[in-house]
């Protein structure tokens, strides 16, 4: 089970940290990803991290502003979002797959419930 949290309303330029807690599985065996879906748009890749945390990947739109990390002792993956923009407004999902990271949502086996991020001007 994956449970995302940490969303909310923030002004442009502000920061939020999303968390995704994993239960019922050996968290350290899973690569983790964050995806988002804005109103009227397709779901898109945001960031991903490999099972040991040694490899990360970011969408160009968030590179340099967002940081994905994981704490295997806490079975949690984080998405630190800084310098938020209006276009970051979306529902955010975390997802898990065995071992490696991926940009392709079809590669993920498990999905958590979304958390809403709203960036205001």
């Amino acid at each position: 089970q994956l449970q995302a949290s940490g969303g909310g309303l923030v002004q442009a330029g502000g920061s939020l940290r999303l968390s995704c807690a994993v239960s019922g599985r050996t968290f350290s065996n899973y690569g983790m990803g964050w995806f988002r879906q804005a109103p009227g748009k397709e779901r898109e890749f945001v960031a991903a991290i490999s099972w040991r945390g040694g490899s990360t990947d970011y969408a160009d739109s968030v590179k340099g502003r967002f940081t994905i990390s994981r704490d295997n002792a806490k079975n949690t993956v984080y998405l630190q979002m800084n310098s938020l923009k209006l276009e970051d407004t979306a529902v955010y999902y975390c997802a898990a797959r065995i071992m490696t990271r991926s940009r392709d949502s079809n590669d993920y086996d498990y999905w958590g419930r979304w958390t809403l991020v709203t960036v205001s001007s």
Side-chain angles (χ1 to χ4, degrees):
Q1 184 177 358
L2 284 69
Q3 180 63 54
S5 62
L9 175 63
V10 63
Q11 285 192 320
S15 298
L16 280 175
R17 188 177 80 159
L18 305 184
S19 300
C20 177
V22 179
S23 60
R25 304 192 182 277
T26 305
F27 176 70
S28 58
N29 289 344
Y30 288 84
M32 301 295 297
W34 287 97
F35 294 79
R36 67 186 182 187
Q37 187 166 16
K41 294 188 177 182
E42 297 286 320
R43 185 168 55 188
E44 64 175 359
F45 168 74
V46 176
I49 189 166
S50 61
W51 63 302
R52 287 185 173 178
S55 177
T56 58
D57 188 22
Y58 297 92
D60 288 344
S61 59
V62 307
K63 198 172 293 183
R65 299 188 298 121
F66 290 11
T67 302
I68 189 171
S69 62
R70 65 189 297 157
D71 185 339
N72 285 351
K74 296 183 177 179
N75 288 359
T76 302
V77 62
Y78 304 98
L79 185 68
Q80 178 66 44
M81 305 186 296
N82 298 330
S83 302
L84 282 161
K85 302 177 180 180
L86 297 179
E87 53 263 41
D88 294 320
T89 295
V91 292
Y92 284 71
Y93 300 85
C94 61
R97 69 185 300 264
I98 290 290
M99 302 298 277
T100 60
R101 55 171 175 79
S102 174
R103 288 184 165 223
D104 187 344
S105 61
N106 293 317
D107 289 339
Y108 287 82
D109 303 302
Y110 307 101
W111 290 82
R113 190 176 179 275
W114 51 264
T115 186
L116 175 63
V117 173
T118 304
V119 183
S120 65
S121 58

